[in-house]
Amino acid sequence: FPGPFTDVVTTNLKLRNPSDRKVCFKVKTTAPRRYCVRPNSGIIDPGSSVVVSVMLQPFDYDPNEKSKHKFMVQTTYAPPNISDMEAVWKEAKPDDLMDSKLRCVFEMPNENDKLNDIDASKPAPVLNTSKQDGPMPKPHSVSLNDTETRKLMEECKRLQAEIMKLTDENRHLRDEGLRLRKVAHSDKSGSPTALALRDNGSNSLPSLLVVIAAIFIGFFLGKFIL
């Protein structure tokens, strides 16, 4: 039985009657719950054959576990007037029974077999023999892919520039917000220092005007005296 064993695996068993008499057969197994056999019994005419399908049910395969499943094909010559198959097997003598034993073998496909199956499933390439000597046309998909790649790169650059611009604007707005909060906090505080600075600023203006007026008066007095 070839794996994998995730689905039902079917193996056909061909039975042939080489004698000149009808033969009754029955297929038995040591693991009846794991297999489905169709037909599991019947009659084979002289010189004829029958195909028995043995279906292995899905199971979890363990490669380290050795298979102990066995099958036995039991046969006996059919009586002249047969009407009940069960009665034939009950009344058959041990010396009249013939049997063949078979051992089940589970095989997992190799990696090389998988590759060969994949290669075999691929369609063969179709060659145009009338144009073998001429140059092979360049596929359009290559240029189309290059164009799309170039467009994507340009779009990525544009988006990066937009992100950098937005980042700078966000930083500028954040700094401006911090500055405005500081100014608002200083205005609301009403500290004596701030009031003193305002008073000094307002008082410094008349003093500056007095100094400038004194300079001009001194300049004119010195000019006329000299």
Side-chain angles (χ1 to χ4, degrees):
F1 296 91
F5 304 100
T6 56
D7 201 353
V8 177
V9 181
T10 303
T11 297
N12 293 327
L13 178 66
K14 186 177 182 180
L15 305 179
R16 188 175 66 87
N17 179 12
S19 67
D20 55 356
R21 296 174 56 184
K22 291 184 177 182
V23 172
C24 298
F25 74 92
K26 179 186 290 187
V27 182
K28 297 181 179 180
T29 178
T30 58
R33 295 184 179 180
R34 299 285 293 275
Y35 299 91
C36 182
V37 182
R38 294 291 184 273
N40 59 353
S41 62
I43 300 175
I44 306 176
D45 294 330
S48 300
S49 61
V50 64
V51 177
V52 178
S53 297
V54 182
M55 290 163 280
L56 173 63
Q57 304 304 309
F59 72 101
D60 294 331
Y61 174 70
D62 186 3
N64 297 323
E65 181 182 358
K66 293 184 179 180
S67 173
K68 299 181 180 179
H69 300 172
K70 294 180 180 180
F71 277 81
M72 183 177 68
V73 181
Q74 200 171 39
T75 58
T76 184
Y77 286 116
N81 297 323
I82 180 173
S83 58
D84 188 2
M85 290 291 297
E86 293 295 332
V88 172
W89 296 109
K90 289 181 181 180
E91 297 174 0
K93 298 178 181 180
D95 296 339
D96 296 336
L97 297 177
M98 297 168 285
D99 57 67
S100 299
K101 296 180 181 180
L102 303 172
R103 184 174 62 89
C104 296
V105 178
F106 301 143
E107 292 183 353
M108 289 295 293
N110 296 327
E111 294 297 330
N112 294 333
D113 297 339
K114 293 180 180 179
L115 293 176
N116 293 334
D117 293 341
I118 293 174
D119 293 339
S121 62
K122 291 182 179 179
V126 179
L127 299 178
N128 190 354
T129 55
S130 61
K131 297 183 179 180
Q132 286 182 354
D133 297 335
M136 292 295 294
K138 187 176 181 180
H140 296 285
S141 59
V142 176
S143 60
L144 181 59
N145 291 335
D146 292 342
T147 304
E148 292 178 352
T149 304
R150 195 181 305 109
K151 289 181 179 179
L152 289 176
M153 292 180 64
E154 293 176 355
E155 185 68 18
C156 290
K157 291 181 180 179
R158 188 183 66 80
L159 291 176
Q160 289 177 356
E162 290 289 338
I163 292 173
M164 293 179 65
K165 182 179 178 181
L166 292 175
T167 303
D168 294 337
E169 291 179 357
N170 187 25
R171 187 183 301 110
H172 178 71
L173 291 175
R174 185 171 62 252
D175 296 339
E176 186 68 18
L178 290 174
R179 189 183 65 81
L180 293 175
R181 281 197 295 270
K182 290 180 179 179
V183 172
H185 180 72
S186 61
D187 290 340
K188 290 181 180 179
S189 61
S191 61
T193 304
L195 294 174
L197 288 175
R198 290 197 188 102
D199 294 337
N200 292 333
S202 61
N203 294 329
S204 61
L205 184 59
S207 299
L208 182 61
L209 294 175
V210 171
V211 172
I212 294 174
I215 292 173
F216 276 98
I217 294 171
F219 174 76
F220 285 110
L221 288 176
K223 183 176 180 181
F224 285 110
I225 293 171
L226 294 177

